[in-house]
Every structure is written in structure tokens, then in C-alpha cells.
Amino acid sequence: MSFMPKIKIDGKEYIAKENETILQCAQRNGIYIPRYCYHPSLSIAGNCRMCLVEIEKMPKLQTACSTIVAEGMNVFTSSEKVKKARKDVLEFLLKNHPIDCPICDQAGECYLQDYYMDYGLRKSRVSLNEKVRRGKRRQLGDYLILDNERCILCTRCVRFCEEVTKTSELFVANRGDHSFIDIKPETSLNNPYSLNIADICPVGAFTSADFRFRQRVWFLKTTESICLGCATGCRIKVQHNDNTVYRILPLPNEETNTWLCDFGRMTYKEMYSEDRLNHITIESQEFGLDLDKVFDYIKEVKPQEIAVFLSPNLSIEDNIALYYFASNVLKTENIFIPSLPERKIEDGILKNSDPYPNSTGIEIIANKLKLKKDEKTSEKFALVISSLEIAKTYARDSKGIFFSLTKSDMNGAIVPMKSYFENEGTFVNWQKYARKTTVSVVNEKAFSVFDVMKRLAVLFGSNSFFSSLKDIEKFISSNGIDKEFK
Amino acid sequence: MIKVKNIKIRELNIWERIYIPEIIRGLGVTLRHLFSNLLNPSSIPTISYPEEKVLLPGHAKERSRHRIKLRKDGTPKCVACMLCATICPAKCIHIEAGETENFVEKYPKKFDIDLSRCVMCGLCVEACPEDAIIMDTEEIPGGAKDRNASYGKDGLYATKEQLFEKKREISTFGAANRLANEFLLSKERGNRND
Ligand code: SF4
Ligand code: SF4
Ligand code: SF4
Ligand code: SF4
Ligand code: FES
């Protein structure tokens, strides 16, 4: 058994873990110590001095983020001495700060603002004109804008580039109050995880160029969901207002992700692309949102001519609806899953080699329901293929019903599909964690696969189809599919 | 949890229930004010707005139709920080931010106030960190001018063009104004380096 030191924080006794810092121990026990440079997923720098605490028998205040606990330590996190120290540290940090809050995108989620209100509340002794000027608005890379005047030199951004992406683009240039964050000559800040820097920068120095000036953060509402940019299936926070998604942030968790890749953050843009479908197209003719037309298109086709493809882009529920429709309403035996790419983390951080979010999910379904796997088919008519690549591989020359977010050149009925911000469903990531997407924004000009199957089943005169997602869940558990999920 | 609070309503006494004496008493109060106002008009607490005005405390001063102050070069002082739209209890300010070429970086691409919803509370003026929005035009929304439809279609939907219309005093207060002032100065000197 490892050694577990007993320490006292603010008069209460806690059992710390070995080699834990005071800050971590306090945090675990619900005591918040203000910090700038400390980040749980980065190395400890101890340069901002915001986390100073008083320790009995130590003449000077110590930084809680870098002091390891020791047996019998008696720590005070809110004594008068500590409060005074915080106030002074803040005054130093704000000494040359431009106080741009009205034009700063960080306002509302800024550690400077928060701590100033909590611990500072002191008028600046340096007038605006005397402040040291550093560069403003500088675009570094495609997604980031750096305002050096607002930087407090916590070096979180530098450490992120060194330790996480290992690309080391950033460094601290110059000395004293003229130091600033700079980028190495002839590099650009375009690593695939660059937008995490905007998240971890505790102030408005690094802000996102994509989100820039589009919303004030306090208007945003958050829903928790998952990113379906690849088979890793990171947990995310979707931030939206007035039925529009504005940005995606990571929702750190032990199992998969602390960070989020830039590609995943930009997936919401497809929803607002100019090519977004909002009507049904059948052989280049537009039909509004009338599913009866789709029925007319498919009703004459003989069951043995139809091939149905489950899709790694669709949720478990949608795939089950599709399977059930094919086997019980169409009564076809040709139900396939496409061949799926190998799944592994490519770059050692997050990005998976499999671009589909639910490959593992449909493999499980295929095993349980004994579906055929990737056979070349001679059927003339394909049903429901939601990924363009898969459609092109398996149904290039056939007619069919295709689901798509954006305009597509496939030959058949193209049905506008709900994006995963607009539809709820379960996806199984490469580690077999089953996670649900949530409806963040409402779209009435698109369908989920389940919506369409339900309507078609009615038109085919079937009365045994699922009537709600609950029924599908029952089907899933009665076939033991969910036993495979983590 | 909703808390329930029991309030005892006082029962009317016999005089109040008879009703007539209370009416006479009420008329007495009215008459007393009639005569005191007649003999001493300066004691009347109400004023004949809009002919007469009293200045309100704080930055509001008065509450008539809004305007947005302009800088020396005619650009709006507003930087689209949305604080006015945030505080507005009627949710009638609609702003969209855009990016500028100059130092200040941000400006309102769209700035509309739906005056038919505005409750004239003046909170937007109090909230503005830039001293940009102000209600000192001495025009009352819905007044004669609006009926002449000189303010767009129905006069009560004020857009940027109308709000930015009037040039008056040049204001140099406000958080982002250091940048604006530096920008204007450099423009005067002719050495822009933004
Ligand atoms: S970094 Fe924070 S304190 Fe500084 S201007 Fe931005 S919001 Fe204001
Ligand atoms: S840019 Fe942000 S993260 Fe980087 S050192 Fe400055 S304040 Fe810290
Ligand atoms: S006066 Fe009040 S209601 Fe009218 S725009 Fe300003 S904040 Fe809104
Ligand atoms: S509060 Fe002032 S600066 Fe901010 S958006 Fe309103 S008018 Fe513009
Ligand atoms: S958080 Fe401890 S010194 Fe910065």
C-alpha cells in the first residue's frame, strides 16, 4: 500500500494521495483554489502565482499547484494573508492589461474577469495610456487569433504545443514586461488540435477565428452530446442559441478525450452549408417533403431486387429501424453491412483511422442478427445509404433511396437527413462505449431514417412496425445487442 | 419549491361597510388637493411632459428616442458588446457584430431597436460600457414624427441608419475608446499602422 499523507486544509482533515499537489487534493475535496497556469492535463509550470496558499510553519506563501502534500501539513486557502496575496497577484497580472472586455470574445468566460470579481476589486494604479503596448489581433493559423496584450504569460499554450501535439510552434519571446507569445519563424499554428489552445487560454489572448464575434458566450446554451467525426466518438458540449449551433467544445472524460480535434469542431458547419438539402429529390425532380413520393418510387420494386445497407453513419436505432423495415415490411433477405475500415488511434491523440462513427455498432448488429457482410450484389435497387463513399462503392450504378445532408449526385431518391445535432441516437465508439447524441437544434426540413421507415411502413400497409424509439430499444435489448456495449 | 404564504385580509369595519361615509371621505381628499393645487400650483408633483422635463439621475438623464453616438470620423462608438441587448427587459435590441479593419476590431453590422416593444426603461444606456447608446434625442417614439413616417415604414422600428443619424458632441469615454482614439490620432497624422 502506498503512503497516504494526512493533511489539513482550512481546518478540516483530508487523506491525500501520494505525490499529489495541494491544489489537486483540495480540488478533489471540493475546495477551489484559483489558478491560471495549472491545467490538469499539462505539466506544472508554477509561473502565475495565483494559487498561493499559506502553510503552517512555512515563512512564505507557497504555490498550491506545485507543492506536494506532506504528512501533517496545515494549509489555509482563504486566510487574510492569502486573500491579500491574490489581490496583489491580480493587480500585477492586470497591470498592462488592455481591459478590452467589450470587444473581447473571452468576456463572460474569462478567468481575469471572474477572479477580479472574486478576489481583486481594486482600481488600476496604471492609467490606460501608460500601459505597455504589445501586438493586437494577429492571425496565427487558420483557426486562431492571438492578442498579445491580453496574454498573462501562463504558458499553457506553449506547453500544449510541446506536450500534447508535440509540434512546439509557440514560445515566449523577449523578457520582463515586454515578453510575449510568438510563433517560431516559418511555421504556422495549424496542427490538427489547434483550437484547444483557444479553450485552455484562460484569458482572451487566444480566441477562435471561427467563433469570432458571432455570439456572446453568455447567450449560449449547452447540450452534451458526442462528436461523430470519427470512430473515436469524443464527448462534446454543443453550444447553441436560437436554434443555431455556434461552437463545439470538448467534454473531458476519462474514457476517451480531454481534447477535441479541429476537424470534429468544424463538423457542425455541414449543417449550414449552402448545399444543405431541405427537400426530397427524385431523379433530379424536387418534391418538397412529401414521403408518399418516395413510396411511389419504391413500391413497384420487387423485394429480391432490393439490397439494404446498414450504415456506419447512422445510429443504432436508425439501423435497427432499417433492418426491421427491410426484413418485416419489404421482406427482403439482402441486408448487408459494408466493409469497414480498421479502427485505431492514428496520431496517438484522438483521430481514428476509421472515419465512421458507428462501425463498431453495426458490426455488433450484424453479428447478433446474422447479417451478410460486404458481398458484391447484383441487385438493381439499393436502400438507404447515408455515406457518399459507401454509396459510391456499392451502388454507383443502381437506383435507390439515399440519405444525405447535402446535395448528392446519386441516381435515385435523395432524402434530406437530420444531422447528428438534430437527431438523437446511440453510437458505439471503437472502444465499444455506447453514447447518445442529443437534439441541440430542431430541423423540420429533414428526416431521420426512423421517421422515413415509419411512414413507409404505414404506406406499405404494415401495422407491426416500431411506433417510437422506445420500441426500438426493446428490440435492441431483446436481441441482446446492448449486452455488447460498454 | 413554491412557498405558500398565508395573508390575513383585514375585515371591513362597520363604517366601511356602510360605504357612503367612505365615499364622502374620498371626495374630501380630492377636494383638498383641488384647492391646494389651485392656490399653490408649484406644489403639484406631476409635470407636463414633454413640455416640461426633469433630468433623471445617472447616465440616463432623459428617456426619449435612442441614438448611437458617433466618433469624430463618423463611425459609431458602439462596439457590439451586446450588453444593452443582454440587459434589455423587452429583448427589443437586435445586434449583429462584424469585424472592422481599424484598431477597434468590432462594430455593429446590424443594430435595430424595436421601439414598439421598448419599455423606455433606460437600462440599455446604463449598461453601455462605451457611452455609445443614449436616449437624449428629445423625440418620443410614436410621436408626431413617426406618424409622418419619416422613420422608415412604421417609425417604431429603428435601424442603424436612423440611430446613427445625428452627430452631436464627440464622446471619448468608454473601454474600447483608447483604441479608437489612437486610431483617429494615427489617421490624423497619416501614419496608420494597424
Ligand atoms: S481577457 Fe478577459 S479581462 Fe481581458 S479583455 Fe478579455 S474578457 Fe476582458
Ligand atoms: S496566450 Fe493564453 S495560454 Fe498562452 S501564455 Fe498567454 S494567457 Fe497563457
Ligand atoms: S429603454 Fe429599456 S426596453 Fe428600451 S431598448 Fe433600452 S433597455 Fe430595452
Ligand atoms: S452596450 Fe453600448 S457598445 Fe455595447 S452593444 Fe450596446 S450600444 Fe453598443
Ligand atoms: S496555478 Fe499555481 S502558479 Fe499558476
Side-chain angles (χ1 to χ4, degrees):
Chain A
M1 230 197 90
S2 62
F3 171 62
M4 310 273 264
K6 276 201 201 86
I7 72 164
K8 254 186 172 177
I9 305 177
D10 291 341
K12 262 178 109 176
E13 208 158 277
Y14 299 102
I15 297 178
K17 293 185 184 152
E18 203 182 358
N19 284 334
E20 197 176 37
T21 62
I22 298 177
L23 193 146
Q24 283 162 339
C25 179
Q27 175 109 2
R28 234 173 2 91
N29 294 300
I31 300 166
Y32 186 80
I33 298 174
R35 80 291 299 266
Y36 286 111
C37 67
Y38 170 80
H39 188 283
S41 308
L42 298 175
S43 66
I44 286 160
N47 59 22
C48 73
R49 320 312 281 178
M50 193 60 205
C51 62
L52 290 175
V53 289
E54 193 177 349
I55 302 170
E56 204 178 53
K57 298 202 189 105
M58 289 215 190
K60 280 191 177 174
L61 300 182
Q62 301 292 316
T63 50
C65 71
S66 59
T67 310
I68 306 284
V69 290
E71 181 66 39
M73 230 179 207
N74 193 2
V75 182
F76 301 96
T77 67
S78 51
S79 64
E80 283 312 308
K81 224 168 140 187
V82 173
K83 280 188 193 153
K84 167 123 195 338
R86 281 178 191 162
K87 211 168 173 159
D88 294 346
V89 168
L90 262 179
E91 188 175 4
F92 267 121
L93 288 175
L94 286 166
K95 193 182 138 241
N96 288 315
H97 195 82
I99 328 181
D100 279 340
C101 309
I103 58 164
C104 179
D105 261 348
Q106 190 81 4
E109 52 181 13
C110 174
Y111 279 53
L112 278 172
Q113 287 184 330
D114 292 354
Y115 294 163
Y116 178 80
M117 296 313 284
D118 289 347
Y119 315 110
L121 287 181
R122 175 186 270 173
K123 273 228 155 81
S124 177
R125 283 183 263 180
V126 185
S127 80
L128 274 178
N129 291 328
E130 289 169 306
K131 295 197 176 200
V132 173
R133 304 300 308 269
R134 292 184 266 177
K136 293 195 80 69
R137 186 171 46 179
R138 175 173 174 204
Q139 178 123 19
L140 293 185
D142 295 341
Y143 296 125
L144 289 171
I145 290 177
L146 172 64
D147 187 312
N148 261 316
E149 275 194 352
R150 298 179 194 148
C151 170
I152 54 162
L153 291 163
C154 69
T155 70
R156 275 185 183 187
C157 54
V158 178
R159 279 175 285 146
F160 178 84
C161 289
E162 268 167 22
E163 294 160 18
V164 180
T165 63
K166 309 209 167 50
T167 42
S168 308
E169 293 100 338
L170 299 172
F171 68 103
V172 184
N174 228 322
R175 273 169 299 139
D177 63 3
H178 290 276
S179 0
F180 64 97
I181 298 292
D182 203 354
I183 184 161
K184 289 195 180 141
E186 282 158 41
T187 46
S188 64
L189 197 43
N190 272 336
N191 66 57
Y193 295 87
S194 66
L195 268 173
N196 290 301
I197 299 175
D199 293 348
I200 57 169
C201 179
V203 302
F206 268 114
T207 49
S208 156
D210 177 57
F211 180 65
R212 191 166 167 87
F213 299 164
R214 288 176 56 218
Q215 276 284 303
R216 290 308 239 168
V217 294
W218 55 84
F219 292 129
L220 296 174
K221 296 157 197 96
T222 304
T223 40
E224 293 182 3
S225 190
I226 45 172
C227 173
L228 303 186
C230 70
T232 308
C234 299
R235 298 186 64 192
I236 56 170
K237 289 189 269 189
V238 182
Q239 297 205 309
H240 53 95
N241 185 27
D242 282 343
N243 214 20
T244 311
V245 174
Y246 286 99
R247 66 172 176 184
I248 316 286
L249 298 178
L251 180 63
N253 60 98
E254 301 252 305
E255 298 87 29
T256 41
N257 64 306
T258 315
W259 317 107
L260 205 59
C261 72
D262 293 353
F263 172 78
R265 289 179 201 249
M266 292 299 142
T267 45
Y268 79 94
K269 293 213 142 165
E270 204 180 2
M271 264 201 300
Y272 304 113
S273 92
E274 285 192 354
D275 287 341
R276 179 86 204 253
L277 274 182
N278 51 18
H279 48 73
I280 296 167
T281 329
I282 301 178
E283 301 194 342
S284 313
Q285 254 184 303
E286 292 180 9
F287 283 103
L289 293 172
D290 190 358
L291 286 175
D292 297 9
K293 293 281 182 314
V294 179
F295 172 67
D296 293 343
Y297 188 66
I298 184 181
K299 70 179 174 201
E300 299 301 332
V301 189
K302 290 192 198 78
Q304 60 272 27
E305 282 181 1
I306 298 183
V308 177
F309 289 88
L310 301 195
S311 167
N313 267 347
L314 296 175
S315 66
I316 297 280
E317 287 84 350
D318 279 344
N319 274 310
I320 293 290
L322 187 56
Y323 163 81
Y324 199 75
F325 178 77
S327 59
N328 286 34
V329 181
L330 290 179
K331 304 206 169 29
T332 171
E333 309 221 309
N334 309 323
I335 308 173
F336 303 102
I337 67 166
S339 81
L340 298 163
E342 187 200 1
R343 258 142 281 156
K344 65 167 197 304
I345 302 281
E346 259 175 349
D347 55 2
I349 309 175
L350 290 175
K351 188 91 191 115
N352 207 296
S353 51
D354 177 359
Y356 305 118
N358 208 7
S359 301
T360 312
I362 62 168
E363 272 175 5
I364 293 174
I365 295 180
N367 277 343
K368 288 279 168 189
L369 302 177
K370 314 226 165 12
L371 302 181
K372 293 178 214 162
K373 207 170 174 182
D374 180 35
E375 278 173 34
K376 284 279 170 257
T377 55
S378 53
E379 283 77 18
K380 301 266 157 49
F381 198 91
L383 179 65
V384 185
I385 294 187
S386 72
S387 148
L388 221 51
E389 275 149 61
I390 297 179
K392 284 191 177 140
T393 322
Y394 290 95
R396 183 69 278 186
D397 305 317
S398 44
K399 295 185 172 187
I401 297 177
F402 302 99
F403 276 75
S404 180
L405 274 187
T406 50
K407 292 202 177 91
S408 152
D409 60 351
M410 295 304 292
N411 182 17
I414 321 267
V415 181
M417 185 171 79
K418 281 186 180 167
S419 79
Y420 68 85
F421 300 99
E422 296 159 347
N423 192 12
E424 66 174 307
T426 311
F427 289 80
V428 183
N429 84 344
W430 72 297
Q431 302 153 300
K432 293 198 178 168
Y433 283 110
R435 292 165 169 177
K436 273 192 164 48
T437 56
T438 21
V439 180
S440 306
V441 290
V442 181
N443 182 357
E444 278 163 3
K445 293 209 169 131
F447 299 99
S448 72
V449 171
F450 173 53
D451 295 339
V452 177
M453 294 304 126
K454 200 161 104 182
R455 178 76 192 140
L456 289 183
V458 171
L459 293 174
F460 269 108
S462 154
N463 49 13
S464 65
F465 199 68
F466 304 123
S467 61
S468 69
L469 286 176
K470 282 251 155 52
D471 294 347
I472 301 187
E473 268 165 36
K474 265 184 225 146
F475 181 90
I476 292 173
S477 54
S478 66
N479 281 284
I481 296 172
D482 57 354
K483 291 214 183 62
E484 302 280 319
F485 302 163
K486 268 200 230 167
Chain B
M1 258 288 285
I2 299 169
K3 276 201 188 115
V4 180
K5 194 175 167 187
N6 288 318
I7 297 171
K8 266 226 173 74
I9 297 173
R10 183 178 64 86
E11 300 238 322
L12 298 182
N13 65 27
I14 180 93
W15 279 109
E16 286 163 343
R17 254 183 290 159
I18 294 174
Y19 182 68
I20 305 287
E22 284 296 304
I23 289 194
I24 295 172
R25 201 160 75 93
L27 281 174
V29 174
T30 313
L31 280 176
R32 193 175 79 232
H33 280 293
L34 173 69
F35 285 111
S36 73
N37 289 350
L38 216 53
L39 301 175
N40 182 13
S42 61
S43 71
I44 307 176
T46 51
I47 59 161
S48 316
Y49 186 81
E51 289 81 11
E52 275 175 65
K53 289 190 186 104
V54 276
L55 277 191
L56 299 167
H59 288 292
K61 296 206 173 65
E62 63 170 78
R63 292 187 207 143
S64 47
R65 181 187 281 274
H66 306 67
R67 73 181 173 101
I68 302 285
K69 288 187 187 174
L70 301 179
R71 301 191 185 110
K72 234 194 283 182
D73 64 346
T75 54
K77 289 199 73 201
C78 168
V79 296
C81 71
M82 314 272 176
L83 290 191
C84 53
T86 307
I87 193 97
C88 176
K91 299 269 168 283
C92 65
I93 308 182
H94 308 290
I95 307 172
E96 256 172 46
E99 186 154 2
T100 65
E101 288 299 306
N102 69 35
F103 282 12
V104 191
E105 298 183 14
K106 205 175 169 196
Y107 82 108
K109 207 157 56 179
K110 181 180 133 194
F111 197 119
D112 298 346
I113 304 180
D114 186 350
L115 289 170
S116 61
R117 289 176 166 256
C118 169
V119 296
M120 306 302 283
C121 62
L123 285 177
C124 48
V125 179
E126 298 287 339
C128 182
E130 297 296 330
D131 187 31
I133 193 167
I134 186 143
M135 300 170 78
D136 66 350
T137 52
E138 304 192 353
E139 286 165 23
I140 298 146
K145 203 164 173 187
D146 293 333
R147 285 196 290 276
N148 292 337
S150 60
Y151 276 111
K153 223 162 76 206
D154 58 4
L156 286 176
Y157 200 86
T159 59
K160 215 166 100 167
E161 284 68 36
Q162 294 133 23
L163 290 166
F164 295 0
E165 185 188 50
K166 295 175 200 66
K167 280 185 198 164
R168 285 202 211 171
E169 86 280 16
I170 306 294
S171 160
T172 51
F173 300 121
N177 243 68
R178 177 192 58 130
L179 297 166
N181 293 342
E182 278 173 19
F183 174 66
L184 292 178
L185 212 66
S186 69
K187 230 165 121 180
E188 266 168 34
R189 292 203 197 106
N191 61 342
R192 286 185 53 177
N193 61 341
D194 51 334

